[in-house]
């Protein structure tokens, strides 16, 4: 518990340094979201129909169709999720299943 408190204190000091305009004393981590994602390639590698891919990963079928036909492009968070699916589909599926609530 002490280590967590020290890490939080250090993180808070970094935030305050950054906000005050300091050029040192903090670390900035950025996330690079890919600009383009080929949804059809990702889906095909998993050997899933559009319907199963949409159901498994929480997309609508019409969204998948629009992306694959080039009518629309995935936005930032969707691109990130799609790249995660491409990299480790079983992990993403497990995490999504853990979020589902029975009604």
């Amino acid at each position: 518990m002490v280590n967590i408190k020290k890490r939080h204190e250090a993180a808070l000091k970094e935030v305050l340094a950054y906000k005050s305009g300091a050029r040192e004393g903090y670390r900035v981590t950025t996330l690079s979201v890919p600009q383009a994602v080929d949804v059809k390639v990702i889906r095909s590698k998993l050997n899933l129909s559009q319907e199963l891919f949409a159901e498994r990963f929480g997309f609508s079928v019409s969204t998948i169709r629009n992306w694959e036909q080039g009518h629309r492009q995935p936005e930032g968070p969707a691109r990130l999720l799609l790249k995660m699916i491409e990299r480790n589909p079983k992990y993403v599926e497990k995490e999504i299943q853990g979020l589902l609530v029975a009604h």
Side-chain angles (χ1 to χ4, degrees):
M1 191 66 145
V2 173
N3 287 337
I4 293 172
K5 184 177 178 182
K6 285 183 180 181
R7 287 192 354 227
H8 287 169
E9 287 173 356
L12 182 56
K13 286 178 183 177
E14 288 181 17
V15 168
L16 293 173
Y18 179 80
K19 287 291 201 178
S20 69
R23 298 285 178 217
E24 296 178 358
Y26 63 88
R27 177 182 60 171
V28 176
T29 303
T30 58
L31 177 64
S32 178
V33 179
Q35 290 301 309
V37 176
D38 192 332
V39 178
K40 189 171 186 176
V41 168
I42 295 169
R43 182 179 60 76
S44 295
K45 284 180 183 177
L46 297 174
N47 199 28
L48 296 174
S49 67
Q50 289 177 334
E51 292 79 9
L52 284 174
F53 185 84
E55 181 182 320
R56 190 165 292 176
F57 296 109
F59 300 108
S60 71
V61 176
S62 62
T63 296
I64 299 300
R65 286 188 184 124
N66 281 323
W67 286 342
E68 289 189 6
Q69 293 171 2
H71 299 301
R72 303 204 57 177
Q73 292 296 314
E75 302 272 331
R79 286 194 314 264
L80 181 60
L81 177 57
L82 288 161
K83 290 306 277 186
M84 290 172 68
I85 292 167
E86 182 177 39
R87 185 171 285 176
N88 195 337
K90 290 188 185 302
Y91 172 79
V92 174
E93 185 176 2
K94 177 183 166 206
E95 290 302 309
I96 289 172
Q97 292 301 315
L99 295 173
L100 297 179
V101 177
H103 293 278

